[in-house]
Amino acid sequence: MRAMSGDQVTEAVRGCVTTLRAAVDRDWTAVRAGGVEWDCHVTALHVAECLLAYAGNLAGHAKDAYVPFEMRLEDGAGNDGLLHVLETAGALLAAAVNTAAPGDRGFHPYPFRSADGEGFAAMGVAEVLLHTHDMAQGLGLEYAPAESLADAVLTSIFPHVQPGPEAWPTLLWATGRGELAGRPAVDGWRWTNNLVLPSERLTLTGLRPAAARDLRLGGAGGFTWLGGAPYEGTREAAGFLVKAYEAGLHRPEFGVFTLVRTADGLAVGGIGFHGTPDPEGRVEIGYDLIPEARGQGYATEAVRTLTAWASARDDVHQIVATVEPENPASERVLARAGFHRAPAEQEETTRREHGMESGLRLFVFRG
């Protein structure tokens, strides 16, 4: 799994321009771009417009809507000019991504109203790869991007899509452009940027599969950690996220979040769900802090933020947490966040029906 940066935008655009230049002398307005409704000229212009808009939204820190500008190709520019514009827009997005601060985000409507630099890079690369495929198909050109690019797109903005044997055919299938053995045809699709939940002093930043894999393997996951490294519980949770992703069971909004301190951008811990809501709407949360960040109320703040978000959903009806008896500090965190110790009968039922380990104490959120 490869994290996204401006370098991947540059690589994708280079492959697109190299492919299309083989047909630069043809009339692109007369050729439909594969299965889309546009001709190849309109499609190439659309890609350039997306790259420029993403660069503008990220660099301009757009909050509630796209930055209000649009791009127009000069009359008589021709295919060579269009490719130059596409290259330029790609360079602007790459620069915006590579110079963005880790916490910078800009507006994008789906699904959580914002994206960070990695998200904008991934969306830009997706536009390039998929529409180059469309245009190459219409123009009768051979095109296949590097597997690493397709994999990076999947692990960045398609975390809900189970990986296939190869990344590029999987991305084509996931966007309704191809078949994949054993999977039904895709009629409608959306990509998904990571969910970010702000609190008073923290930002709960949703982990992408690529970052989770890096954490599981001993890396930093793209974050700078207070004390130099995450707590072991965060690495373990990241491993569970990767397993769910590989099994096709991952839902990013019920995944793992890194706790990033707003004041200095340092990651101080992790919080997340043990899985998606069960048929009764029950979810379990877990959390940890690195030792240097304990005793400052960060865990309570994070638990309050996550439970408030989950409680507002229609598919969540009960939020629980489990604590070891020798961890009174965690019990105090839950109590301050609105949880209460469950009765012994409920604990026994949870052990029997949900596999709660013997000896753990069950706490239930009551607001």
Side-chain angles (χ1 to χ4, degrees), residues 122-194:
M123 290 187 291
V125 172
E127 295 281 1
V128 173
L129 300 190
L130 295 170
H131 287 311
T132 303
H133 164 81
D134 298 334
M135 291 182 283
Q137 192 176 59
L139 294 165
L141 304 173
E142 293 292 328
Y143 175 72
E147 275 286 294
S148 60
L149 282 178
D151 181 68
V153 169
L154 288 169
T155 57
S156 294
I157 55 173
F158 288 88
H160 51 291
V161 172
Q162 182 180 17
E166 296 178 277
W168 178 231
T170 302
L171 182 59
L172 291 176
W173 166 81
T175 56
R177 288 172 167 83
E179 298 179 351
L180 205 60
R183 303 195 192 183
V186 173
D187 295 325
W189 58 275
R190 289 273 194 172
W191 55 47
T192 297
N193 279 294
N194 64 330

Side-chain angles (χ1 to χ4, degrees), residues 79-92:
N79 293 338
D80 271 320
L82 179 52
L83 290 179
H84 191 189
V85 169
L86 200 156
E87 285 180 306
T88 302
L92 290 172

Side-chain angles (χ1 to χ4, degrees), residues 6 54-56 58-59 90-101 104 117:
Y54 294 161
L58 179 59
L92 290 172
L93 177 56
V97 170
N98 286 342
T99 57
D104 285 353

Side-chain angles (χ1 to χ4, degrees), residues 211-233:
R213 182 174 183 270
D214 185 57
L215 282 170
R216 184 189 66 174
L217 295 175
F223 299 92
T224 302
W225 293 86
L226 179 67
Y231 195 63
E232 190 57 37

Side-chain angles (χ1 to χ4, degrees), residues 299-301 303-304 307 332-339 365-367:
T300 300
E301 184 177 326
V303 172
R304 285 174 175 163
T307 52
R332 290 192 293 271
V333 166
L334 292 172
R336 289 192 294 266
F339 284 74
F365 179 68
R366 295 179 183 172

Side-chain angles (χ1 to χ4, degrees), residues 211-271:
R213 182 174 183 270
D214 185 57
L215 282 170
R216 184 189 66 174
L217 295 175
F223 299 92
T224 302
W225 293 86
L226 179 67
Y231 195 63
E232 190 57 37
T234 298
R235 295 198 189 280
E236 183 179 2
F240 289 137
L241 188 157
V242 173
K243 288 181 180 178
Y245 169 69
E246 292 174 345
L249 302 175
H250 178 52
R251 282 176 59 185
E253 65 269 36
F254 288 103
V256 179
F257 299 80
T258 299
L259 307 182
V260 179
R261 197 160 59 186
T262 307
D264 55 14
L266 296 178
V268 298
I271 192 170

